């Protein structure tokens, strides 16, 4: 427990802890810790001021807590100015996949997936539509990767929420549209490609544990 | 009196005289307005974080008497914003006063 409250009973401390918990619910770990430290420090000073003014412990604690106001209203404000757990996760994923080596890796996996989907019969049919589909999908996917780069730059300039929103919309549209079009074009056979893409996604999720990609990630997330 | 939307300007003004932590900022606003400008202090921190996100103020931690406090200071961008917002406020309040006195 923080220094300023050592002289208080557990009940008072529990009350400010409850306020902090309510006000920071749903925020990412970093924001939660920073806000909790600031609010506790603020409360401690308000408490000391009330004690110096002659109030008893109970009254001083009540006044100090009252000056903070509603934790729900404060939480609404904090959610507008700090990242939620989900936003922090999305940002972390964008940063993780922000390097060119990883992007190229992702692109080739995607390309391979499309070739499997549109079916691996390209060599047999040589249908023009397959080439057009794969070409357009690749352009869309590369555009999406470029868009994500732009969004990371936005995030570095302080437009974090905008960066996350546009970047992820790009990812979803860039990846989902070709898959949907492919599924519509090749029907049942597309399901083999989709299954293959799911395997790729699962393998990709495990990349964190591979030393090479782990090193890349730590480099990218350094300030 | 809680004038909605004025807290960001009051924060910049409070930091004009030097770096301060949250409690001091709240105390200075209340004291300098002789208690007229009152607000729930829980609302101060989201406003501080918003100004910081916009690059108008900067925060840093300092250990004082064994306790870590987060201080805020104005940036160059913040000084310019304060000058601009102050002018806008003067124009607005002058216009409202003029209108009220005429009516």
């Amino acid at each position: 427990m923080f220094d300023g409250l050592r002289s208080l009973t557990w009940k008072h401390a529990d009350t400010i802890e409850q306020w902090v918990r309510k006000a920071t619910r749903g925020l990412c770990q970093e924001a939660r810790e920073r806000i909790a430290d600031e609010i506790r420090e603020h409360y401690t000073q308000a408490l000391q001021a009330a004690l110096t003014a002659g109030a008893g412990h109970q009254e001083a604690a009540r006044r100090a807590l009252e000056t903070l106001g509603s934790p729900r209203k404060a939480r609404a404000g904090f959610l507008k100015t700090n990242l939620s757990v989900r936003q922090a996760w999305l940002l972390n994923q964008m940063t993780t996949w922000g390097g060119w080596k990883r992007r190229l890796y992702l692109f080739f996996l995607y390309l391979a997936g499309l070739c499997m989907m549109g079916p691996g019969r390209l060599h047999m049919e040589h249908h023009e539509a397959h080439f057009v589909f794969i070409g357009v999908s690749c352009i869309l996917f590369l555009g999406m990767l470029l868009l994500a780069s732009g969004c990371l730059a936005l995030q570095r300039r302080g437009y974090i929420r905008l960066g996350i929103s546009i970047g992820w919309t790009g990812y979803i549209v860039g990846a989902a549209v070709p898959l949907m079009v492919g599924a519509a074009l090749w029907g049942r056979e597309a399901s083999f490609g989709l299954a293959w893409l799911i395997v790729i996604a699962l393998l990709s999720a495990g990349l964190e544990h591979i030393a090479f990609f782990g090193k890349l990630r730590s480099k990218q997330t350094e300030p | 009196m809680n004038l909605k939307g004025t807290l960001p300007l009051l924060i910049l003004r409070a930091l004009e005289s030097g770096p301060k932590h949250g409690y001091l900022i709240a105390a200075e606003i209340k004291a300098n307005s002789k208690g007229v400008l009152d607000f729930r202090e829980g609302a101060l921190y989201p406003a501080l974080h918003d100004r910081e996100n916009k690059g108008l103020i900067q925060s840093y931690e300092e250990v004082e008497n064994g306790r870590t406090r987060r201080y805020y200071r104005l940036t160059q961008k913040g000084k310019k914003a304060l000058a601009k917002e102050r002018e806008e406020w003067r124009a607005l309040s002058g216009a409202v006063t003029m209108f009220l006195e005429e009516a």
Side-chain angles (χ1 to χ4, degrees), chain A residues 50-118:
Chain A
L51 288 171
T52 309
H57 269 182
Q58 291 271 357
E59 178 59 14
R62 190 192 62 76
R63 273 193 224 164
L65 203 64
E66 207 175 83
T67 57
L68 289 173
S70 157
R72 283 180 189 85
K73 282 186 183 168
R75 180 174 174 263
F78 286 132
L79 280 170
K80 283 180 193 160
T81 53
N82 292 274
L83 293 181
S84 66
V85 175
R86 178 110 187 114
Q87 286 167 335
W89 182 84
L90 290 173
L91 184 63
N92 186 37
Q93 293 303 308
M94 276 176 73
T95 313
T96 303
W97 291 101
W100 285 108
K101 281 184 188 173
R102 277 200 155 197
R103 284 191 182 175
L104 277 176
Y105 172 79
L106 195 65
F107 173 69
F108 285 118
L109 282 181
Y110 185 70
L111 182 64
L114 285 175
C115 289
M116 289 288 290
M117 187 170 164

Side-chain angles (χ1 to χ4, degrees), chain A residues 34 38 41-42 66-67 81, chain B residues 41 45 52-53 69 72:
Chain A
R34 177 184 163 170
E38 278 193 299
E41 180 57 28
H42 188 108
E66 207 175 83
T67 57
T81 53
Chain B
E41 291 168 18
Y45 292 93
E52 192 181 11
N53 289 346
R69 283 177 177 164
Y72 293 89

